[in-house]
Amino acid sequence: MKNLSSAVFFCACLLAVMSCGGLIDRFTSGQQMNKVDDLWSDVPRMDDFRHSDLEMPLAVKLLLRTALNNLWRLNKEGEDKTPVSGDWVVFATSKTPADVQSFYTNDRMTGFGAWEASKNSTCLDGNDKGVSGAFCVFQKQVADKEILLGIVAAVDEDKKQTNVFFLRLEGPAQGDANSNKPQIKTPAQSSITRLSGSAPYGVEKRPMPSGTNPDELLPKQVGPYSRVQLEKSEQRGTTPTSIEVDGNSVYATYKNGDKEVMVEFSIASTPENAQGNWNVVVGDANQGIYPTDPRFGSFRTEPSYLKVVNADGAFFAWTRGPYFITANAKGGENDLDAFMNAYSY
């Protein structure tokens, strides 16, 4: 993938011509698009979103599917331009398309879901092109997978609301488009073995977590840190009563004065499934590179772990059986150490 601004411009052109029925039929016939019930865990949700049973209009299918596939394939000569499959969902809101555009900013998407940062806005105000509505597009690479997200906000004059359509496409990364990015170096798959040495913070000596109660797994007080927020990853601001096995993770925010640690906690049905999270985590936290130095990483072991300290702060992720936990301190290693040395598991 290359310039997102070209995709935004392309969408403006599509918005201007999408009333042409023949063109819509040409681009949407035979497409396999799956409707889902909620947003994905790496996409933030506006507070007043209401799930909608509205079907995605052909015009919006044309806009999202064609625009994202053009961005994906880059229109290279001789390259396969067969569209990939996608998932989509629709919400209704009392907010305006401009409000939606203002919410889905580059900074929010980068901070919330590690979407690729951009110096320029990747959203288009349709009013600037004589079309009512707004369009945004975001991208990122996780391991060897490319992920694209399109958002269209359109006013429903009859219901006096805004309908917001989301389409997510995933597929193999295009090698030459990402030649400057480090590639995932995944450890060979093997059975899980017992850790032979010591993990950072001595997590291998700590009690094994049990149950699904978030108040027990993410206690309200951890050393000098107090838990100030507990929320579902897929529905920020909503407090979970349990952590779903093989479901979405839970976020906890801990503070000690101006120091903050963000914790993500998930539970898999098996330790093997928990180990399957490493490609995503290593891709996000360490540019896809699995460290071989035991001070910073061990994988397919019990426990497994990854520690990263850089200009963005300090990050530690680890497994305990089927439990997968990450802690992120943007203030640096001292903040992370104070939290981890007091955490139970």
Side-chain angles (χ1 to χ4, degrees), residues 222-248:
V222 176
Y225 286 90
S226 299
R227 195 186 74 198
V228 297
Q229 191 166 36
L230 181 68
E231 55 189 345
K232 296 181 178 179
S233 62
E234 81 280 11
Q235 193 173 356
R236 302 298 290 269
T238 301
T239 303
T241 56
S242 66
I243 303 177
E244 184 181 355
V245 176
D246 283 336
N248 291 306

Side-chain angles (χ1 to χ4, degrees), residues 91-104:
F91 295 93
T93 176
S94 60
K95 304 293 186 181
T96 67
D99 293 328
V100 175
Q101 181 178 339
S102 296
F103 181 83
Y104 289 101

Side-chain angles (χ1 to χ4, degrees), residues 82-215:
T82 303
V84 297
S85 297
D87 293 336
W88 62 277
V89 66
V90 187
F91 295 93
T93 176
S94 60
K95 304 293 186 181
T96 67
D99 293 328
V100 175
Q101 181 178 339
S102 296
F103 181 83
Y104 289 101
T105 62
N106 291 331
D107 286 346
R108 174 172 275 117
M109 295 297 284
T110 300
F112 185 96
W115 295 90
E116 190 170 305
S118 175
K119 294 181 180 179
N120 301 313
S121 174
T122 57
C123 290
L124 169 73
D125 183 351
N127 290 320
D128 293 341
K129 304 296 180 182
V131 181
S132 177
F135 177 88
C136 299
V137 59
F138 300 95
Q139 66 184 46
K140 66 177 174 179
Q141 182 176 328
V142 176
D144 55 356
K145 180 170 60 178
E146 205 75 63
I147 305 174
L148 302 176
L149 177 72
I151 306 171
V152 170
V155 174
D156 186 330
E157 296 291 355
D158 293 335
K159 296 183 178 180
K160 305 301 179 184
Q161 65 184 23
T162 297
N163 296 322
V164 187
F165 302 85
F166 294 81
L167 175 66
R168 182 190 187 96
L169 301 180
E170 297 187 6
Q174 304 301 306
D176 61 338
N178 293 281
S179 58
N180 294 326
K181 294 183 178 181
Q183 297 300 305
I184 288 287
K185 299 176 182 178
T186 308
Q189 293 297 307
S190 61
S191 59
I192 299 173
T193 60
R194 184 175 180 179
L195 183 69
S196 60
S198 298
Y201 309 111
V203 294
E204 77 282 0
K205 301 174 183 177
R206 299 184 182 184
M208 181 71 70
S210 63
T212 61
N213 186 336
D215 285 328

Side-chain angles (χ1 to χ4, degrees), residues 19-94:
S19 59
C20 174
L23 188 60
I24 291 173
D25 291 341
R26 175 185 172 190
F27 280 103
T28 59
S29 59
Q31 302 295 337
Q32 297 300 315
M33 302 175 70
N34 303 311
K35 189 175 184 180
V36 295
D37 293 328
D38 210 340
L39 287 176
W40 307 271
S41 62
D42 55 359
V43 180
R45 175 173 176 153
M46 293 183 69
D47 290 340
D48 70 339
F49 269 2
R50 306 181 304 278
H51 186 271
S52 173
D53 291 327
L54 184 70
E55 290 298 314
M56 185 179 288
L58 290 180
V60 177
K61 286 184 182 181
L62 168 66
L63 174 64
L64 286 173
R65 190 60 173 273
T66 310
L68 294 185
N69 274 287
N70 259 264
L71 175 63
W72 200 311
R73 298 300 176 184
L74 300 176
N75 291 324
K76 288 187 176 180
E77 290 297 327
E79 191 173 52
D80 180 16
K81 296 181 177 61
T82 303
V84 297
S85 297
D87 293 336
W88 62 277
V89 66
V90 187
F91 295 93
T93 176
S94 60

Side-chain angles (χ1 to χ4, degrees), residues 141-144 180-187 277-293 296-299 305-310 315 317:
Q141 182 176 328
V142 176
D144 55 356
N180 294 326
K181 294 183 178 181
Q183 297 300 305
I184 288 287
K185 299 176 182 178
T186 308
N277 290 321
W278 280 121
N279 263 9
V280 174
V281 172
V282 175
D284 287 345
N286 205 41
Q287 296 185 306
I289 300 172
Y290 283 78
T292 56
D293 187 329
F296 304 111
S298 178
F299 308 94
Y305 58 88
L306 169 71
K307 185 175 183 179
V308 179
V309 180
N310 54 31
F315 174 86

